[in-house]
Amino acid sequence: MTALNILLVLSAGLFLAGLFGVAARRTLLMQLISLEVMLAGPALGFIAAGAHHGSIEGSAMFILVLGLAAAEVALGLAIYLHMRRATGGDSDAATRLRG
Amino acid sequence: MLAYLLLLVPLPPLGGFLLLALDPYRLDRRPVLALSLAAGIAPLVLFLPLAIAYFTGAVGDMIAPAFTLNFGQYEVALAMQLDPLSAIGASTVTVVASCVMIYAADYMSGARVADLRRFFALMNLFQAGMLSMVLAADSIVFFLGWELMGLCSFFLISYNMTSPRAFAAGQKAFVMTRIADAALLAGLLLLFLEATSVRMDELIPAGLAAEESRAAIIAVLLLVGALGKSAQLPFQTWLPTAMAGPTPVSALLHSATMVAAGAVLLARFAPLIEATPGVAAATAIAGVATALFGALCAIAQTDVKRLLAYSSISQIGYMLLAVGMGAPGVAMAHFVIHAFFKSLLFMAAGVLSHAGGGSTAIEKLRGTAYVAPISFATYTVGAAALAGFPILSAGWWSKEAILGAAVEAGPFGQFLWLVALGGAALTGVYAYRPVLCALRKPLHDAPKGHESWLAVAPLIFLAIMSVLGGYLVEPIIHEMGGHAPHAGLGIEVMGALAAITGLIGSVAVTFIPSWNARIKRARRLRAGMQMDAIYYAFLVRPYRRIVRLLSGRDGRLGKHIGEGPEAQEGGMGDPVGTATVVFGLWLARVVTAPFMPDRFDTVIMRGAREAQRAGLWTRRLQSGRLRDYALGFALGLGVLVILGWGMTWG
Amino acid sequence: MGLSLQILLPFFGGLAVLFAPRFGRDYERYGTIAVMALTLLVLIFSALNGDSGRWLQLVQADWAPSFGIQVLLAMDGLSAAMLAISSILGIVCVFISWEVTHRSAMYHAVICWTVAAANGVFLAFDLLVFAFFWELMIIPAFLLIGLWGHGNREHAAMKFLVFNAVAGLGLLAAVFWMGATAPEITFDAFVLSEAGYSTPVQVILLLGFALAFMVKLPVPPFHAWLPDAHTQAPTAGSILLAGLLLKTGAYGLFRFPPLLFPEGLMAVAPYGMALGAFGVVYGAILACGQVDAKRLIAYTSIAHMSIVLMGVCGGVHFALAGAGVEMIAHAFSSSALFLLIGALQHRTGTRDLRELGGLQKTAPAFATSFAVFFAAALAMPGTANFLGEALVITGMFQVNWAFAAIALVSLVVSVVYATRLIGAIVFGKPKSETAVFEDLKPYELWPIIALGAGTIVFGLFPQVLIGWLRPAIDAALLPLGVGAP
């Protein structure tokens, strides 16, 4: 097993762990954290692939993913604050589109 | 240059009309009167010098072109002309119209200012119409004036707008004359096509040169036009009812203008009438028949205005007789004299009936001779002229000329002469009746009325003309290019005897009670032989039936807008239009019937129901829970990954 | 470019007018007036700078070459006169709708679009584009009747739509067939006029065209939509219907059958004249029987437009000139009558002749205006209406005396219905509905004065009008083998 493969398996693992968190958790905050974990998976994959090919683009993609994560957290927290007031942070309770 | 003065003649009344009818300012009573009088008399002032110069030979015939329209080879050149006919006609019209306007200024003084304005505006427009008709050198201006008179007569006859009777009278006059106008228009248009020009001096030669049958048709159409406007048989019914208009209207319409316009038309196109012997004979017969008919009906009248109306019909019959006998000059002479005495009679009768308490019934005139002596005197002069009192009255000279022309025209003419002579005797019978009635002692003493000089001055002037006019007869005939007929002493004596018989008859009818009672009983004759009723039964009622049949019963419409459905329901509203709609709907139904019930539709609707059920089932997937959706994403992603992976194998 | 502006200005003007109320009160009205005035100015400018030949202006450009569609706009005196009428009536409509407040912006936009579509009809010589505008014109008029009408307006609007849309199919089918069978696909009217169809084919195609035109005109038996549409339409709708939409039918009849199907027209002309003669008498008689003032005028419109049909089918110079003059005269006089009846209805709430009367006493300006157009309705000499009818009758005398006689009968009947109308409205004692009657306001009076001036000026000095129409008449007569007289 090469280093790359190990890293890719690790990143897949991170992603699946995050996915499990999103699917299994009901608390919105925990789901957001799991989402971050999910994002970390592919980001790791990008870096690994970049290192493998000796290319800078992998790292550049990581910075993009970081930006995306930051934006997502900002939005997600805003929604969380709103939801907390309405449902107490339980995402299952918010099954209607009407806020 | 002088010719252009002609174009100005009808303009002042036209301007007066425009100012009075359309002005945005509220003029007061005096300005209205002043304006309309000025506009009404200005044509006289403008035209008189021209007429004098013309009659003394200082100026010759002339044509003043107005403007020209081009239709390819056809040229429509509008113009006005001065020739014997137009000079005579226009001088008469301007003189009589001025007199009537002055009289009207007094007569109408009691009316509301708004009504006064309307009245004088229309009178002025009427004058403009008649003047442009008389002076026209082309058929377009001629017809324009002719129709303007028709329009104004409608408004003037129904001047009293709140009276349904007046409106019906105006409508009747308008419709009847319009029938004749349509014929005239047809005749003029056919002439235009023959001549490729509208100028009178080219129309008449072209009409003469036309193929015989065509010329005859044109002549008949022109004759019908004249019969309608002049209220001759069989169009006479509109005139007696037209008396619903105020007295000045009657005085203007039924003396020199409107009604006499038919005579002017025939005199203008006399060569065409004469060229077709049959039409000339028809003209003469229509004239003589109307003369006799009018005289008979006039005898039976109990209303002085209706009496005068029938006398107009009768007198214009004489003019037609003259034209039919080939003597348009004689007809014009009678036109002039008739204009003087007939306007005089109407206006004097107006004053007398005011003096007698406002009613126009002949009985009510009793004693008015002592209340309004000047008017009575002028009325007597007019009646003498109407009856053709020998030597002294102008009417005798012109009527003698007509009778003489008839005698000269051969055996046919002599037969007509005999009938006309009878008519002349009858004329005497009715002409003096109001005079004699007014002369009788009043039933109760009435104070001597005040006769305003504004009303009396035109009467006196016209009375003088009705006496001295006899001197005009021969010059007029010569001016028109005819010769004064000299039928011999015997014929003239016969004419004089007829007139005197008429006077005696009149005395008898008035003073012999049984005869008088007989006149009162002659209802059928008084109603103009019930021609009105006959027309109503055979023309108006069938027409109304057709209208009602086609348009459905009245009252289909809801009372207010938005209420009630429209045409398609009830009655036979607009059968042709409805038929199309019904046919269209039927067609639509027939075309769609095989597809009813719509099988495509059932299949599709079943599909729709199934889809709905499927939808209900699928809805369960949408729990709305974030976690479920995330799982869905993941599963989908997994499937995609596996798919992608699988594909790279191949 | 000037010609496309005649269509584009009112169209985009209409769009702009939709948003005008956001900027201030009544801005949609001022905006519409500005648009119409600008259109009129452009028209005057392009007419004055026109060529002296057959066309004053001609615009030709490809649009969709693969389908043979092009922008082919041409204007001669006839089109210019119709365009001028459409802009003027647009302004008139704004004036007389000053009290319309319900969806005012949309209302004015719809007026603009009606004018735009009608202008397209008056200009287009690419038959497909012509047919497009022809159909387009129905939509705003439909909205105008359906949204702002009175009473049973949905029914009337539907009737209008169905009649005109179905009739438009005839035109569309004929146009498609002609375009598709041409050697090289084209809808250019001038090219297609040289296609050399055999006479039977021409007759069939002509019937397709004529169906559309005769329904719009309308001639009995295709007229059932008109009385309903007129009665239920708002005043502006009636004016646009009478002044513009009916005229597109007359215009089409005048323009295309002689150009495209001369032999076919010659073959069916006697039937056309007979239909026209029937329509003249039928419309006039039915007008005598109406109790609703607007219906009465609608039926007189049918009679007068039938005279146009007679004139066009007459195929002689006088008849065609008469048809052209009658078109324009009728645009003035009937829209003025509808305006007056609209004012009447606005004040009294009724158009029932039996409930009106006595306006001479209460509203002299109204009565005087009414009398003027009363004279025009019965073809008094001195009005343009007389000129039109007299010319058609002259032409009929050249062709067939029987038709001339029938047209003359209509002159008599016109007196009956016209006196009935004026007798019921102006004469008589004021009744409860008309006892208190506000006389015409300035914004109603000015359009009336303008229309009246048009009627009388063209009636007394018709040379201008005849001069405008001359090229169109000559061009219509040329294919018929009738030279200039």
Side-chain angles (χ1 to χ4, degrees):
Chain A
M1 234 185 197
T2 59
L4 176 67
N5 279 0
I6 293 170
L7 281 174
L8 283 180
V9 168
L10 183 60
S11 83
L14 272 172
F15 182 80
L16 286 176
L19 180 64
F20 177 78
V22 170
R25 284 289 188 169
R26 288 179 61 180
T27 326
L28 203 57
L29 192 62
M30 292 314 287
Q31 283 176 316
L32 273 175
I33 292 169
S34 306
L35 213 57
E36 289 301 307
V37 175
M38 274 177 80
L39 274 175
L44 181 64
F46 277 126
I47 293 172
H52 178 74
H53 294 291
S55 160
I56 194 73
E57 281 146 11
S59 306
M61 277 315 280
F62 175 68
I63 292 174
L64 260 174
V65 171
L66 264 188
L68 177 69
E72 177 248 310
V73 164
L75 267 177
L77 283 179
I79 293 172
Y80 170 70
L81 282 177
H82 188 80
M83 294 276 276
R84 218 177 97 94
R85 235 169 274 144
T87 64
D90 184 355
S91 72
D92 279 11
T95 55
R96 303 220 157 256
L97 284 176
R98 200 173 300 153
Chain B
M1 252 347 269
L2 203 56
Y4 287 94
L5 205 57
L6 280 177
L7 298 178
L8 295 181
V9 174
L11 286 187
L14 189 65
F17 161 73
L18 288 177
L19 280 176
L20 288 174
L22 308 174
D23 86 301
Y25 312 104
R26 295 269 165 266
L27 286 180
D28 209 11
R29 184 176 299 269
R30 275 176 178 283
V32 167
L33 283 176
L35 189 64
S36 60
L37 271 185
I41 297 173
L44 179 67
V45 178
L46 281 171
F47 190 71
L48 209 56
L50 212 57
I52 291 170
Y54 183 75
F55 289 130
T56 54
V59 294
D61 287 7
M62 49 187 167
I63 285 189
F67 57 89
T68 305
L69 306 176
N70 287 308
F71 293 91
Q73 85 182 58
Y74 294 89
E75 197 169 72
V76 177
L78 306 185
M80 296 206 165
Q81 65 177 346
L82 193 62
D83 69 344
L85 179 59
S86 69
I88 295 167
S91 346
T92 315
V93 171
T94 47
V95 169
V96 170
S98 304
C99 290
V100 173
M101 291 299 277
I102 294 170
Y103 173 81
D106 177 63
Y107 187 89
M108 300 301 292
S109 54
R112 290 193 321 151
V113 180
D115 290 339
L116 204 66
R117 249 178 59 171
R118 178 161 56 88
F119 176 81
F120 278 111
L122 289 165
M123 287 291 265
N124 277 338
L125 183 62
F126 189 90
Q127 257 180 299
M130 183 67 193
L131 283 172
S132 44
M133 191 212 94
V134 175
L135 290 171
D138 62 282
S139 53
I140 302 293
V141 174
F142 186 91
F143 193 71
L144 172 73
W146 182 273
E147 283 286 276
L148 267 187
M149 280 196 288
L151 181 71
C152 293
S153 71
F154 165 66
F155 281 112
L156 283 172
I157 292 169
S158 41
Y159 162 77
N160 183 5
M161 288 187 124
T162 49
S163 148
R165 232 185 82 241
F167 172 71
Q171 192 180 27
K172 183 162 129 194
F174 203 8
V175 174
M176 293 286 271
T177 52
R178 196 70 192 269
I179 295 171
D181 295 353
L184 174 65
L185 180 64
L188 292 178
L189 290 179
L190 283 172
L191 266 182
F192 164 61
L193 288 176
E194 290 292 331
T196 68
S197 158
V198 291
R199 290 290 263 273
M200 297 282 183
D201 46 3
E202 291 171 49
L203 284 183
I204 292 169
L208 292 174
E211 168 198 354
E212 203 172 314
S213 61
R214 195 170 273 232
I217 289 172
I218 292 172
V220 167
L221 288 170
L222 295 179
L223 175 62
V224 172
L227 291 181
K229 206 70 156 185
S230 290
Q232 301 291 292
L233 284 173
F235 292 98
Q236 84 291 2
T237 58
W238 67 264
L239 192 75
T241 40
M243 293 302 138
T247 299
V249 171
S250 311
L252 188 59
L253 259 68
H254 307 141
S255 60
T257 57
M258 183 86 180
V259 181
V264 175
L265 168 72
L266 288 181
R268 176 65 79 194
F269 290 100
L272 296 182
I273 304 286
E274 282 159 34
T276 327
V279 179
T283 313
I285 291 172
V288 126
T290 315
L292 195 63
F293 174 85
L296 273 172
C297 292
I299 291 178
Q301 295 310 313
T302 53
D303 182 297
V304 64
K305 280 185 80 179
R306 283 178 73 92
L307 182 145
L308 291 174
Y310 276 109
S311 84
S312 289
I313 296 176
S314 165
Q315 293 302 307
I316 289 164
Y318 282 105
M319 296 180 209
L320 258 67
L321 171 66
V323 174
M325 294 288 104
V330 177
M332 281 313 286
H334 196 54
F335 162 79
V336 174
I337 308 295
H338 172 254
F340 290 139
F341 71 70
K342 188 51 61 66
S343 52
L344 164 63
L345 284 173
F346 269 115
M347 294 195 285
V351 179
L352 287 181
S353 64
H354 265 248
S359 163
T360 52
I362 296 178
E363 290 292 316
K364 292 278 161 60
L365 292 181
R366 189 166 180 171
T368 48
Y370 311 102
V371 183
I374 306 175
S375 307
F376 172 74
T378 56
Y379 188 92
T380 312
V381 175
L386 171 62
F389 191 81
I391 322 276
L392 283 181
S393 73
W396 189 69
W397 295 98
S398 57
K399 208 174 280 176
E400 270 315 298
I402 293 174
L403 293 175
V407 170
E408 277 184 4
F412 175 61
Q414 278 150 15
F415 166 69
L416 295 182
W417 169 76
L418 209 59
V419 183
L421 199 65
L426 292 174
T427 307
V429 176
Y430 70 76
Y432 298 113
R433 273 185 54 220
V435 177
L436 295 173
C437 205
L439 259 181
R440 296 172 87 168
K441 280 270 175 262
L443 293 172
H444 37 78
D445 272 339
K448 189 169 179 300
H450 168 70
E451 293 173 270
S452 129
W453 63 268
L454 207 57
V456 171
L459 294 185
I460 294 172
F461 172 74
L462 287 171
I464 294 169
M465 293 306 286
S466 303
V467 176
L468 299 184
Y471 289 109
L472 293 176
V473 171
E474 238 172 278
I476 289 173
I477 297 172
H478 285 300
E479 191 68 43
M480 289 287 295
H483 70 283
H486 292 288
L489 193 63
I491 302 296
E492 293 200 4
V493 169
M494 291 284 277
L497 278 181
I500 292 174
T501 316
L503 177 55
I504 295 166
S506 182
V507 172
V509 158
T510 316
F511 293 107
I512 299 175
S514 65
W515 289 31
N516 201 343
R518 187 159 202 158
I519 281 182
K520 279 190 187 140
R521 281 204 309 276
R523 279 214 194 84
R524 180 182 284 267
L525 207 55
R526 191 173 313 136
M529 295 307 289
Q530 251 121 37
M531 291 283 269
D532 257 340
I534 293 167
Y535 284 161
Y536 183 78
F538 288 101
L539 295 173
V540 178
R541 207 161 46 191
Y543 179 75
R544 284 201 181 152
R545 261 195 209 133
I546 292 173
V547 167
R548 208 171 306 139
L549 188 72
L550 288 180
S551 56
R553 222 163 277 288
D554 277 2
R556 252 187 303 105
L557 181 86
K559 188 159 177 255
H560 287 279
I561 290 139
E563 252 181 52
E566 302 281 330
Q568 297 82 1
E569 289 171 24
M572 211 166 98
D574 192 355
V576 175
T578 315
T580 314
V581 174
V582 170
F583 174 75
L585 292 176
W586 173 81
L587 195 70
R589 211 170 44 239
V590 168
V591 169
T592 53
F595 306 103
M596 302 297 268
D598 190 338
R599 289 183 195 87
F600 292 104
D601 187 57
T602 37
V603 170
I604 291 167
M605 286 317 285
R606 190 179 304 146
R609 267 196 302 280
E610 293 301 323
Q612 206 172 15
R613 202 169 302 150
L616 280 176
W617 185 80
T618 333
R619 205 163 74 180
R620 290 190 207 148
L621 287 178
Q622 285 193 308
S623 64
R625 266 180 295 186
L626 195 57
R627 299 183 305 135
D628 294 353
Y629 295 156
L631 192 63
F633 279 146
L635 288 175
L637 187 70
V639 171
L640 280 179
V641 166
I642 291 167
L643 268 179
W645 191 27
M647 272 195 246
T648 53
W649 283 355
Chain C
M1 193 57 212
L3 292 190
S4 351
L5 279 182
Q6 291 299 314
I7 303 163
L8 297 178
L9 264 179
F11 180 74
F12 288 108
L15 281 182
V17 159
L18 271 184
F19 301 101
R22 299 189 180 191
F23 299 100
R25 198 164 157 269
D26 286 344
Y27 269 38
E28 72 278 16
R29 305 175 204 274
Y30 302 132
T32 313
I33 292 175
V35 167
M36 293 299 154
L38 196 60
T39 316
L40 193 60
L41 277 180
V42 172
L43 171 71
I44 291 168
F45 182 76
S46 48
L48 289 183
N49 289 314
D51 301 330
S52 53
R54 169 73 186 89
W55 302 105
L56 287 168
Q57 298 276 343
L58 186 85
V59 175
Q60 188 160 19
D62 276 338
W63 187 348
S66 52
F67 298 109
I69 305 173
Q70 41 177 341
V71 180
L72 177 56
L73 306 175
M75 178 175 81
D76 61 359
L78 175 66
S79 326
M82 300 321 289
L83 291 170
I85 286 176
S86 73
S87 304
I88 292 169
L89 289 184
I91 296 175
V92 169
C93 282
V94 178
F95 272 111
I96 53 113
S97 313
W98 212 265
E99 287 169 13
V100 172
T101 46
H102 172 64
R103 295 196 190 181
S104 171
M106 186 68 182
Y107 181 85
H108 287 86
V110 164
I111 289 176
C112 287
W113 292 332
T114 314
V115 169
N119 284 358
V121 169
F122 293 138
L123 286 172
F125 275 82
D126 185 282
L127 292 180
L128 202 65
V129 177
F130 175 79
F132 165 72
F133 281 121
W134 184 267
E135 300 285 337
L136 189 66
M137 194 168 50
I138 303 172
I139 300 166
F142 168 77
L143 290 178
L144 209 52
I145 301 169
L147 289 179
W148 291 274
H150 316 284
N152 206 350
R153 56 177 181 244
E154 288 86 2
H155 173 77
M158 264 334 268
K159 212 167 171 182
F160 166 76
L161 183 70
V162 169
F163 260 90
N164 285 287
V166 169
L169 286 181
L171 172 71
L172 210 58
V175 167
F176 276 134
W177 191 87
M178 288 167 74
T181 54
E184 193 181 340
I185 184 165
T186 178
F187 296 98
D188 185 325
F190 304 120
V191 175
L192 288 175
S193 70
E194 284 153 16
Y197 304 114
S198 67
T199 308
V201 173
Q202 284 197 8
V203 169
I204 293 169
L205 290 174
L206 174 61
L207 289 182
F209 272 67
L211 181 68
F213 297 152
M214 289 198 301
V215 168
K216 199 59 126 287
L217 206 51
V219 178
F222 308 115
H223 66 280
W225 62 271
L226 185 76
D228 283 349
H230 265 317
T231 8
Q232 316 300 9
T235 308
S238 290
I239 288 175
L240 289 179
L241 270 178
L244 218 49
L245 264 67
L246 305 197
K247 300 306 167 292
T248 58
Y251 170 87
L253 213 49
F254 197 100
R255 190 68 100 190
F256 290 106
L259 175 68
L260 296 170
F261 321 112
E263 285 89 16
L265 181 61
M266 297 283 250
V268 299
Y271 304 102
M273 279 188 281
L275 191 63
F278 171 71
V280 170
V281 175
Y282 187 76
I285 288 181
L286 274 176
C288 295
Q290 303 304 314
V291 282
D292 180 332
K294 267 192 173 180
R295 277 187 99 79
L296 197 157
I297 302 170
Y299 278 108
T300 69
S301 287
I302 293 167
H304 288 133
M305 297 320 280
S306 300
I307 286 183
V308 174
L309 177 66
M310 273 174 106
V312 172
C313 291
V316 289
H317 191 274
F318 284 121
L320 274 163
V325 175
E326 178 77 13
M327 252 158 86
I328 290 161
H330 183 258
F332 285 125
S333 66
S334 66
S335 41
L337 277 175
F338 278 119
L339 200 168
L340 287 170
I341 299 295
L344 194 66
Q345 175 180 358
H346 186 77
R347 288 162 171 75
T348 61
T350 177
R351 300 183 307 261
D352 192 329
L353 290 181
R354 293 162 302 186
E355 296 179 359
L356 298 166
L359 286 187
Q360 176 67 47
K361 282 244 182 318
T362 43
F366 182 93
T368 308
S369 321
F370 206 82
V372 171
F373 294 101
F374 156 78
L378 52 80
M380 183 55 48
T383 60
N385 303 57
F386 170 74
L387 184 72
E389 292 190 21
L391 284 172
V392 171
I393 292 170
T394 315
M396 286 299 115
F397 269 123
Q398 287 177 315
V399 180
N400 188 329
W401 285 29
F403 294 136
I406 292 171
L408 281 167
V409 168
S410 85
L411 276 185
V412 177
V413 182
S414 71
V415 176
V416 179
Y417 62 65
T419 48
R420 195 174 120 77
L421 187 63
I422 198 170
I425 292 177
V426 173
F427 284 73
K429 290 196 180 73
K431 297 191 183 143
S432 57
E433 261 86 359
T434 51
V436 181
F437 189 89
E438 196 183 355
D439 212 342
L440 291 180
K441 299 191 187 99
Y443 64 75
E444 288 163 327
L445 203 53
W446 283 113
I448 285 287
I449 289 173
L451 295 171
T455 305
I456 288 173
V457 167
F458 286 135
L460 290 177
F461 307 102
Q463 187 67 65
V464 190
L465 196 55
I466 304 262
W468 286 345
L469 298 181
R470 188 68 195 264
I473 295 166
D474 288 345
L477 286 173
L478 202 59
L480 298 177
V482 187

